[in-house]
């Protein structure tokens, strides 16, 4: 039977310290099917905080949902060169997350194109801006294009002409759990024990050769 290397155990322990938990917020547990009405997002939802977003569930072409019926919208239009007054953020910089992207559908025309983009922040500093997406009636994924840790997402552009759905992100465990430390120390102890056994064996072998 093959033995598991203590070094491998340590590597697995370290990997567990940086593990992430995948989330896709579909918003379908939030329902507002009143025609031409919408409801403000809860301040805290899905482990994140939401500012400037409403949700609704009624059919509204071309603002198609990607999954289910509920999607988000913002009521204020801003020029693409300025950030819109909205934000999705964690409770503190100590609880960062990695943002994959979200799905958008909306209104645009050849004469009056609309577009949206993401700005990603960490500790108040802009760390990345995504590509621009021109929404259509078919929900399309806008990737953030950034895999690093952030604590705030801002959607730029004509957000009043786009509906957002299926917000995809990962919480990042920046501080290892106590169980992770236990695994790391166990791995180090195994390495130390194995090294001690090898030294003792080498000493015994040397003593036998001298006899």
């Amino acid at each position: 039977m093959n033995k598991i290397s203590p070094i491998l155990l340590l590597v697995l322990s370290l990997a567990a310290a940086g593990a992430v938990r995948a989330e896709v917020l579909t918003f379908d547990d939030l329902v507002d099917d009143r025609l031409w009405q919408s409801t403000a997002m809860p301040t805290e939802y899905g482990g994140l905080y939401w500012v400037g977003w409403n949700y609704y569930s009624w059919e509204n072409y071309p603002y198609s949902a990607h999954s289910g019926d509920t999607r988000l919208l913002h009521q204020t239009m801003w020029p693409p060169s300025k950030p819109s007054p909205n934000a999705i953020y964690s409770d503190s910089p100590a609880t960062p997350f990695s943002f994959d992207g979200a799905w958008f559908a909306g209104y645009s025309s050849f004469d009056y194109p609309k577009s949206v983009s993401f700005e990603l922040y960490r500790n108040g500093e802009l760390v990345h801006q995504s590509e621009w997406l021109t929404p259509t009636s078919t929900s399309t994924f806008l990737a953030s294009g950034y895999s690093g840790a952030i604590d705030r997402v801002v959607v730029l552009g004509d957000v009043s002409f786009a509906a957002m759905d299926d917000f995809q992100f990962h919480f990042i465990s920046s501080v290892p759990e106590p169980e992770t430390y236990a695994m790391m120390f166990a791995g180090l102890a195994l390495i130390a024990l194995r090294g001690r056994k090898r030294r003792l064996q080498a000493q015994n072998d040397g003593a036998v050769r001298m006899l």
Side-chain angles (χ1 to χ4, degrees):
M1 181 176 179
N2 294 330
K3 295 182 179 180
I4 299 177
S5 167
I7 297 178
L8 177 59
L9 290 175
L10 180 61
V11 170
L12 293 175
S13 300
L14 292 173
V20 296
R21 176 166 55 89
E23 298 282 354
V24 178
L25 301 181
T26 66
F27 312 110
D28 291 327
D29 57 328
L30 305 173
V31 179
D32 185 348
D33 53 9
R34 300 170 299 159
L35 191 61
W36 307 116
Q37 301 293 318
S38 64
T39 301
M41 278 290 291
T43 302
E44 183 178 1
Y45 177 83
L48 299 174
Y49 290 82
W50 301 76
V51 175
W53 291 97
N54 288 9
Y55 67 87
Y56 68 103
S57 310
W58 43 274
E59 187 172 348
N60 182 24
Y61 181 87
Y63 306 96
S64 308
H66 178 249
S67 66
D69 296 316
T70 303
R71 57 274 201 211
L72 306 190
L73 79 159
H74 194 277
Q75 297 291 347
T76 305
M77 183 181 76
W78 284 69
S81 60
K82 296 182 180 180
S84 55
N86 66 75
I88 303 118
Y89 58 96
S90 60
D91 58 354
S92 77
T95 54
F97 60 96
S98 176
F99 176 55
D100 299 332
W103 295 78
F104 287 90
Y107 170 82
S108 186
S109 69
F110 180 78
D111 296 326
Y112 198 30
K114 307 295 179 184
S115 55
V116 290
S117 175
F118 298 122
E119 279 188 344
L120 311 181
Y121 291 84
R122 175 73 166 142
N123 296 322
E125 298 290 332
L126 176 66
V127 295
H128 181 74
Q129 181 176 344
S130 74
E131 300 291 332
W132 288 89
L133 171 71
T134 300
T136 67
S137 59
T138 300
S139 188
T140 304
F141 186 69
L142 174 58
S144 72
Y146 184 75
S147 60
I150 63 169
D151 52 42
R152 180 181 296 261
V153 177
V154 173
V155 182
L156 302 178
D158 300 297
V159 288
S160 61
F161 286 89
M164 183 172 70
D165 198 8
D166 289 0
F167 187 92
Q168 301 182 14
F169 73 107
H170 305 77
F171 279 118
I172 298 175
S173 178
S174 57
V175 178
E177 299 292 332
E179 294 84 357
T180 301
Y181 283 118
M183 291 177 62
M184 293 172 61
F185 288 136
L188 290 172
L190 282 172
I191 292 174
L193 179 61
R194 187 171 180 177
R196 183 171 183 272
K197 286 183 176 179
R198 286 178 174 175
R199 288 193 299 272
L200 290 175
Q201 184 64 44
Q203 292 174 1
N204 291 335
D205 291 344
V208 170
R209 284 194 296 270
M210 292 176 63
L211 292 177

